[in-house]
Amino acid sequence: MRLFYFLAIIGAALFLITPYASAINAMDSQKDITIVIERGNSYEFPLILQNVDDDSGIEILGDKDGWVGFWNPDAYQYTVITGQFLVLISIEVPENANLGEYDFEITSGTNVISKLKLKVTIQLSDAKAYEKLADVDNEVGDLKTKVLVLSDDIGDLRSDVATLEYSLSEKVSEIQDYQKDLTKLETENEKLSDDLDEVSELYQNASKKNEELTTFTGMLVNTQIPGMFTMGIILGITLVTVIVKREIVKRKVKSKIKCSDSRQKPQKDKDLFRYSYTGR
């Protein structure tokens, strides 16, 4: 209230020393007023009037009706009586007000007494939160930079992946061709396996025959060959004996023949002599 009375005294003094004007108006310093206010807060200030010669009605026009009024925000129309030199302007900004600038005019008829601009800001607690938010924004900016770098890296990775996919596709094609060849080889392998089974069976049969032949050969070696050898010796001895005996018999026969011839010759001579003798 002391401020109010002080301003009232100053206003009165200025009113007394100010030259007369034909229309109600405000001091030059209050013709353009800018007030910075936090949302959810209120504010009051005296508007010093000049040249109030007659009762005049004044009102407040602006972007937000009810934010600015006379004595209280709800009274935005007021009647100034003759000789009145000030009026109290009251401002109240809602808590849900949007941040920004809002323009108002205090008028008397067509005459603009004063222009008022309100700059609505956040509260101090919100400002602290916004400071932290600013730090967060800085971190987000750093993260965005990192994301951009990662995006470039991801682009390179995608290029590498595309190259790998192409290479993999070629490898898959080669594997498919190899599988085709492998299927053919498996078929041939199955055929060779059947042939091998057949050869194995023939080998087993041959081995069995070989064992039988070996057994038979062993028997010949162990029994028949020695017997045949012995029989051959016996036959050889018998043959030699027969030959020897034949020679002996042959010699005996020849000897007897000779003896017989020797015996017959004298007889013949005797007969011849006898015959010869008789013939005389």
Side-chain angles (χ1 to χ4, degrees), residues 69-85:
F70 300 101
W71 304 102
N72 62 72
D74 294 333
Y76 56 90
Q77 291 181 347
Y78 184 75
T79 300
V80 179
I81 62 175
T82 304
Q84 186 174 353
F85 61 90

Side-chain angles (χ1 to χ4, degrees), residues 12-273:
L14 292 173
F15 176 76
L16 293 175
I17 63 175
T18 302
Y20 177 79
S22 60
I24 186 172
N25 56 28
M27 297 174 55
D28 291 340
S29 61
Q30 289 188 313
K31 287 184 177 180
D32 287 297
I33 302 172
T34 300
I35 297 176
V36 179
I37 185 171
E38 297 176 5
R39 60 185 176 184
N41 285 1
S42 60
Y43 181 76
E44 292 181 346
F45 70 95
L47 178 67
I48 307 300
L49 301 178
Q50 299 181 111
N51 304 324
V52 183
D53 298 331
D54 298 314
D55 294 346
S56 302
I58 61 176
E59 62 180 349
I60 300 173
L61 305 175
D63 294 335
K64 294 292 183 180
D65 294 339
W67 282 20
V68 181
F70 300 101
W71 304 102
N72 62 72
D74 294 333
Y76 56 90
Q77 291 181 347
Y78 184 75
T79 300
V80 179
I81 62 175
T82 304
Q84 186 174 353
F85 61 90
L86 63 84
V87 63
L88 185 63
I89 305 299
S90 178
I91 301 171
E92 186 170 347
V93 178
E95 292 183 354
N96 60 351
N98 294 326
L99 303 180
E101 296 182 355
Y102 299 88
D103 294 323
F104 299 87
E105 288 182 348
I106 302 172
T107 64
S108 175
T110 60
N111 182 35
V112 177
I113 299 174
S114 177
K115 291 182 179 180
L116 175 64
K117 182 184 292 291
L118 296 182
K119 292 184 177 181
V120 179
T121 63
I122 59 174
Q123 295 180 353
L124 181 60
S125 59
D126 293 336
K128 293 180 179 180
Y130 274 100
E131 288 179 359
K132 295 181 180 179
L133 184 61
D135 295 336
V136 173
D137 289 338
N138 293 331
E139 294 179 359
V140 170
D142 295 337
L143 290 175
K144 286 181 178 179
T145 302
K146 293 179 180 179
V147 167
L148 291 175
V149 174
L150 289 175
S151 298
D152 294 337
D153 294 339
I154 290 172
D156 295 337
L157 288 174
R158 285 179 177 175
S159 178
D160 295 338
V161 168
T163 303
L164 289 174
E165 287 179 350
Y166 178 75
S167 300
L168 181 60
S169 177
E170 290 184 345
K171 292 296 182 183
V172 168
S173 179
E174 292 178 0
I175 290 173
Q176 289 176 348
D177 294 338
Y178 176 77
Q179 286 179 345
K180 291 179 181 179
D181 296 337
L182 183 61
T183 303
K184 183 178 180 181
L185 289 174
E186 287 178 350
T187 303
E188 295 178 355
N189 188 29
E190 291 177 357
K191 183 177 180 181
L192 290 174
S193 179
D194 295 337
D195 295 339
L196 182 60
D197 292 338
E198 184 178 355
V199 170
S200 178
E201 183 178 358
L202 293 174
Y203 174 76
Q204 291 177 357
N205 294 333
S207 297
K208 186 176 180 181
K209 294 293 183 180
N210 187 32
E211 289 178 358
E212 293 177 356
L213 181 61
T214 302
T215 303
F216 179 74
T217 304
M219 290 177 62
L220 290 177
V221 171
N222 293 329
T223 58
Q224 295 183 7
I225 292 179
M228 292 175 66
F229 181 74
T230 303
M231 183 177 294
I233 292 173
I234 294 172
L235 290 174
I237 293 172
T238 303
L239 182 60
V240 170
T241 303
V242 171
I243 292 172
V244 171
K245 287 184 177 182
R246 180 182 177 192
E247 290 295 330
I248 294 172
V249 172
K250 182 177 179 180
R251 288 177 182 177
K252 286 181 179 182
V253 171
K254 286 182 178 181
S255 177
K256 287 182 179 183
I257 291 172
K258 287 180 179 180
C259 291
S260 175
D261 290 338
S262 63
R263 289 176 181 179
Q264 290 178 358
K265 283 180 180 180
Q267 184 66 35
K268 287 180 179 181
D269 291 339
K270 187 178 179 180
D271 292 337
L272 289 172
F273 179 74

